[in-house]
């Protein structure tokens, strides 16, 4: 039975991993967002992965082995719980897919009104209603949040307008 899993890819090799996994019959998904960025002195919109170096894959472990997927060029390893890769809840991914590249996901360049360690509640987007702890801005003015996702705390990057102070 096919299931979703989370892979960690080698730095900047998500495209290579997708190409090689597609050849093996593994469906791949990594959400991307459009952000405003200054490149060579000009402000441009570029598409970047929402979760750099992470990718969701959909396959049947009885047909394609974990070892085959893990050994694919561009892939570092599965995100695991114990020794076995942990399946991802499909509703989490379908929420990401539905909200990808909606106007709510577009990033505005603005100053961040949050302080490191401040508790927040996400107001919109695929993580609506989830409590988070603000960590720090990244170079593209997105906010890194420490959230309880997939049963443990992980860091994700979100648009400022999706956040409300608690």
């Amino acid at each position: 039975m096919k299931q979703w899993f989370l892979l960690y890819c080698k730095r900047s090799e998500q495209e290579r991993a997708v190409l090689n996994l597609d050849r093996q019959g593994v469906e791949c998904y990594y959400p991307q967002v459009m952000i405003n960025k200054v490149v060579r002195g000009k402000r441009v919109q570029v598409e970047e992965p929402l979760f750099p170096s992470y990718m969701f894959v959909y396959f049947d472990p009885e047909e394609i082995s974990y070892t085959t997927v893990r050994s694919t060029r561009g892939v570092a390893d599965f995100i695991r719980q114990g020794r076995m890769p942990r399946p991802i809840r499909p509703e989490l991914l379908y929420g990401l897919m539905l909200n990808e590249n909606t106007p709510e996901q577009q990033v505005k360049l603005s100053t961040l009104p949050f302080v490191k360690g401040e508790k927040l509640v996400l107001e919109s987007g695929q993580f609506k209603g989830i409590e988070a702890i603000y960590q720090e801005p990244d170079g593209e003015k997105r906010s890194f949040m420490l959230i309880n996702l997939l049963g443990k705390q992980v860091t994700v990057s979100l648009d400022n307008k999706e956040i409300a102070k608690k």
Side-chain angles (χ1 to χ4, degrees), residues 5-10 17 21 24 26 57 59 64-80 83-85:
F5 297 92
L6 183 59
L7 287 179
Y8 182 73
C9 297
K10 295 174 184 170
L21 288 166
Q24 297 172 35
V26 176
V57 291
F59 69 98
I64 302 170
S65 73
Y66 294 121
T67 306
T68 301
V69 173
R70 186 176 45 101
S71 300
T72 301
R73 294 186 93 175
V75 173
D77 205 350
F78 282 94
I79 301 302
R80 305 170 181 269
R83 297 182 68 196
M84 297 301 295

Side-chain angles (χ1 to χ4, degrees), residues 37-49:
K37 197 174 194 177
V38 177
V39 178
R40 295 187 185 116
K42 294 182 181 178
R43 190 166 293 190
V44 295
Q45 275 199 331
V46 294
E47 195 170 46
E48 287 191 353

